[in-house]
């Protein structure tokens, strides 16, 4: 049964004229009472029902699948921080964003990024470079490779292309890429930890090219990944594509959160509300804030606007409204 804001769950049972009993159905306590009147009253059919919220339905589906799972559940030790190496140098000739000379986290700009044709062309160039770097970084994912090694490779690819790695120096961030392994949701700092067989890792690449930020990320599988993790990555990617499908001039931003929540709940997942998408362009992070959960925030998309849809655990996509 597909999840939606609410679902009706019900069960039917019969009882005699003077019987009473308690039972439960799908975790819901059920109770019947004796029927008044003549003993010859025939058995009655009762329907007990209750509305389930989308979150409750998602939890029910997840629990049901857990009970049906056969075989041992693969347990992994908690993620431990490794050694973080020094930040890598950037040549003087590379154009740098304005925040690199400060350790303070920049305030979220209230200025949405809406571009003319030249701006769109520059955004496409920056995003294309970020996508190429990301794909090459993903090819490095295998057991024993450290996220420090991935950071160094990403840094060199971006510098060689004449661009700046946007995360480096943003609010004091010490690395050129974000690498988020397993339970680390996003913005993980590369370090000396070696990737393990069965890990999943999100690599988040942003480049600053000709005054524009191109932002993208993707979750990669390391070695032999269990089916639960594969399903998580697959479903979150599907959430992203369903969210993209609603984007057009005049569409409301809240449709993004609705579409993502509907699909996630169908598979027993819920949405991490504290991580959001954002406007991007000449500014790294700006309005509008893109909520991935159901919401009633106002705001509509306009032609020429660029923003990210960053459903946690899979990917970031910069969408161009044209």
């Amino acid at each position: 049964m597909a999840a939606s804001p609410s679902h009706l769950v019900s069960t039917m049972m019969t009882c005699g004229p003077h019987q009473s009993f308690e039972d439960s159905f799908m975790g819901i306590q059920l109770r019947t009472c004796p029927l008044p009147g003549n003993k010859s009253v025939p058995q009655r059919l009762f329907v007990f029902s209750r509305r389930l919220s989308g979150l409750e339905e998602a939890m029910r589906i997840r629990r049901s699948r857990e009970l049906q799972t056969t075989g041992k559940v693969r347990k992994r030790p908690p993620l431990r921080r490794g050694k973080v190496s020094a930040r890598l140098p950037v040549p003087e000739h590379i154009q740098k964003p304005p925040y690199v000379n400060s350790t303070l986290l920049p305030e979220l700009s209230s200025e949405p990024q809406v571009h003319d044709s030249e701006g769109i062309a520059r955004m496409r160039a920056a995003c294309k470079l970020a996508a190429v770097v990301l794909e090459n970084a993903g090819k490095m994912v295998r057991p024993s490779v450290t996220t420090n090694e991935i950071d160094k490779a990403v840094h060199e690819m971006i510098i060689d292309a004449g661009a700046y790695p946007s995360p480096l120096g943003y609010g004091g961030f010490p690395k050129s890429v974000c690498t988020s392994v397993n339970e680390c949701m996003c913005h993980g700092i590369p370090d000396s930890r070696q990737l393990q067989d069965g890990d999943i890792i999100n690599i988040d690449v942003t480049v600053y090219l000709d005054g524009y930020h191109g932002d993208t990320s993707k979750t990669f599988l390391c070695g032999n990944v269990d089916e639960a993790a594969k399903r998580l990555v697959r479903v979150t990617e599907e959430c992203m594509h369903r969210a993209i499908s609603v984007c057009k001039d005049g569409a409301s931003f809240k449709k993004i959160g609705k579409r993502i929540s509907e699909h996630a709940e169908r598979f027993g997942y819920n949405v991490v509300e504290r991580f959001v998408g954002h406007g991007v362009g000449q500014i790294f992070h700006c309005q509008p804030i893109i909520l991935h959960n159901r919401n009633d925030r106002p705001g509509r998309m306009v032609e020429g606007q660029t923003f990210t849809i960053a459903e946690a655990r899979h990917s970031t996509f910069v969408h161009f409204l044209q």
Side-chain angles (χ1 to χ4, degrees), residues 126-158:
C127 290
K128 183 177 180 179
L129 173 59
V132 169
V133 172
L134 176 63
E135 205 60 34
N136 286 326
K139 294 176 182 177
M140 297 181 64
V141 174
R142 61 183 181 275
S144 80
V145 171
T146 69
T147 49
N148 261 339
E149 292 174 281
I150 294 175
D151 175 73
K152 182 178 179 181
V154 166
H155 182 89
E156 291 176 352
M157 284 186 280
I158 295 173

Side-chain angles (χ1 to χ4, degrees), residues 17 38 69 130-131 173 188 201 226 268 272:
N38 195 296
T69 301
F173 193 82
I201 174 174
D226 61 41
V272 180

Side-chain angles (χ1 to χ4, degrees), residues 1 18 29 44-45 55-56 71 79-80 124 138 164 167 169 213 219 233 247 269 276 301-302 313:
M1 179 174 63
H18 295 289
Q29 195 68 28
R44 303 294 188 184
L45 182 67
L55 177 57
E56 288 175 314
L79 195 63
R80 301 294 183 187
R124 287 190 181 279
Y164 182 89
H213 295 275
T219 296
V233 173
C247 296
Y269 300 125
V276 297
M301 308 171 200
V302 298
R313 233 352 345 130

Side-chain angles (χ1 to χ4, degrees), residues 206-223:
T206 310
V207 306
Y208 185 65
L209 178 67
D210 292 332
Y212 288 77
H213 295 275
D215 189 352
T216 188
S217 77
K218 183 177 180 179
T219 296
F220 297 91
L221 310 179
C222 181

